[in-house]
Amino acid sequence: MADSITPSVGDMSSPVPEQPQTGEPRLRMRGINKTFGAVRALTDVDFEVYAGEVVGLVGDNGAGKSTLVKTIAGVGPADSGEIFVEGQLVKITSPQVATRLGIETVYQDLALCDNLDVVANLFLGREENTPVRSLRENDMELRGLGVLRTLDVKIPSVRSLVASLSGGQRQSIAVAKAILRNARIVLLDEPTAALGVAQTRQVLNLILRLRDQGLAVVVISHNLADVFEVVDRVIVLRLGRRVATFDVKSTTPERVVAAITGAEFGELRSTTTNSNGVSEGVTNNE
């Protein structure tokens, strides 16, 4: 992020904290635009995440979070804008291209097969075969065990059916699957949704381990308590625009909520409607 100020609604601005990271971001997006017919889902969005950093992407429903993630993942390529991975300009036109660039997305549904065991899920679609086309079961099991130990994932057995695992364990398997694909950038979509307290803690610890291993991690979540536990920065989207950036060490959930909802940190605001029927916030100073 080149600028020190991030624009906010109402021609006001909120300071972007000084970045603790240095050098080139592992992923940088600049001027991203995406429309669906007459609906503008993203407007000139900049985004960046560094190696060894967890960024929280937050916003209300319809803010553009899912659209931005799909743009990164190659599911819904951007209409315009630039994307850089490790400083190199790239075009992400499909999920296969994203995977080759080291970008993996763990969606809320996890995309696991309940009727298969852990090893089969970890290597689903990427099975290792012998010259006679039989599966290298032992090799896959050893590799799977290695990744699970690295992430400190605790499960009864790698031969357990996924259907028998808890929600937190399933989330961990989905993340381990991404790591096995040599991910360098991991996108987690609502990773703690519908999990209990113990399972949520397991997943939050897993996110911190990903950061400690030098991965760039993006967490999309509505749960600000979970976000503040694990992220280094929070980026707020509202109505398809990036409106604020916060360092979690120097801000509060209340300020993040104010940015999400359009309140300008305690200033009274009224609401007007422009010619396109879009609500715009106006401060009492205007």
Side-chain angles (χ1 to χ4, degrees):
M1 183 172 51
D3 299 330
S4 61
I5 297 294
T6 299
S8 182
V9 172
D11 293 329
M12 297 186 67
S13 61
S14 57
V16 176
E18 182 179 349
Q19 300 296 341
Q21 306 287 345
T22 58
E24 185 67 29
R26 180 157 287 178
L27 170 70
R28 179 189 292 276
M29 308 177 78
R30 192 160 59 195
I32 298 297
N33 293 282
K34 181 70 176 179
T35 59
F36 298 96
V39 178
R40 182 174 288 275
L42 297 174
T43 304
D44 293 328
V45 173
D46 294 346
F47 183 83
E48 69 289 320
V49 58
Y50 292 79
E53 180 187 38
V54 181
V55 169
L57 182 62
V58 303
D60 206 349
N61 291 332
K65 305 186 301 298
S66 296
T67 302
L68 184 62
V69 168
K70 289 177 181 177
T71 297
I72 301 171
V75 176
D79 297 333
S80 62
E82 297 177 317
I83 302 177
F84 300 85
V85 175
E86 304 282 9
Q88 299 297 313
L89 180 64
V90 299
K91 288 191 177 297
I92 305 178
T93 55
S94 70
Q96 292 76 19
V97 172
T99 295
R100 287 197 294 270
L101 291 170
I103 301 170
E104 291 291 340
T105 306
V106 180
Y107 293 101
Q108 194 170 346
D109 62 9
L110 302 183
L112 299 176
C113 296
D114 286 351
N115 62 322
L116 300 179
D117 64 25
V118 172
V119 173
N121 270 281
L122 288 175
F123 289 89
L124 191 62
R126 301 174 60 252
E127 294 83 358
E128 298 179 0
N129 297 309
T130 67
V132 295
R133 306 302 296 171
S134 62
L135 292 176
R136 297 183 183 273
E137 292 283 0
N138 289 339
D139 291 345
M140 291 191 297
E141 183 172 322
L142 287 173
R143 284 191 61 201
L145 280 169
V147 171
L148 294 174
R149 288 196 185 106
T150 299
L151 297 176
D152 196 26
V153 176
K154 295 178 175 59
I155 56 175
S157 168
V158 291
R159 291 302 176 182
S160 300
L161 293 181
V162 165
S164 68
L165 302 179
S166 70
Q169 290 169 333
R170 292 184 188 207
Q171 185 73 244
S172 299
I173 298 305
V175 172
K177 183 177 178 180
I179 301 304
L180 272 169
R181 296 181 180 225
N182 298 317
R184 295 178 293 165
I185 302 162
V186 178
L187 314 177
L188 301 175
D189 184 15
E190 298 288 352
T192 60
L195 296 183
V197 174
Q199 297 170 350
T200 295
R201 172 51 52 194
Q202 181 180 3
V203 172
L204 295 179
N205 289 338
L206 177 64
I207 293 171
L208 293 176
R209 284 192 290 274
L210 294 176
R211 180 184 66 185
D212 293 343
Q213 291 177 23
L215 276 71
V217 184
V218 180
V219 177
I220 302 92
S221 180
H222 284 89
N223 191 322
L224 285 185
D226 291 347
V227 167
F228 268 72
E229 281 218 36
V230 296
V231 309
D232 301 294
R233 288 187 298 129
V234 177
I235 292 176
V236 181
L237 294 184
R238 176 155 43 89
L239 299 177
R241 295 179 181 271
R242 175 172 172 171
V243 296
T245 304
F246 300 95
D247 184 333
V248 295
K249 295 179 180 177
S250 58
T251 192
T252 63
E254 289 76 18
R255 295 190 71 199
V256 176
V257 170
I260 292 172
T261 59
E264 296 297 339
F265 312 127
E267 293 189 72
L268 295 176
R269 297 176 60 81
S270 60
T271 301
T272 61
T273 303
N274 64 19
S275 59
N276 296 320
V278 178
S279 295
E280 295 181 326
V282 180
T283 65
N284 58 353
N285 295 326
E286 293 177 330

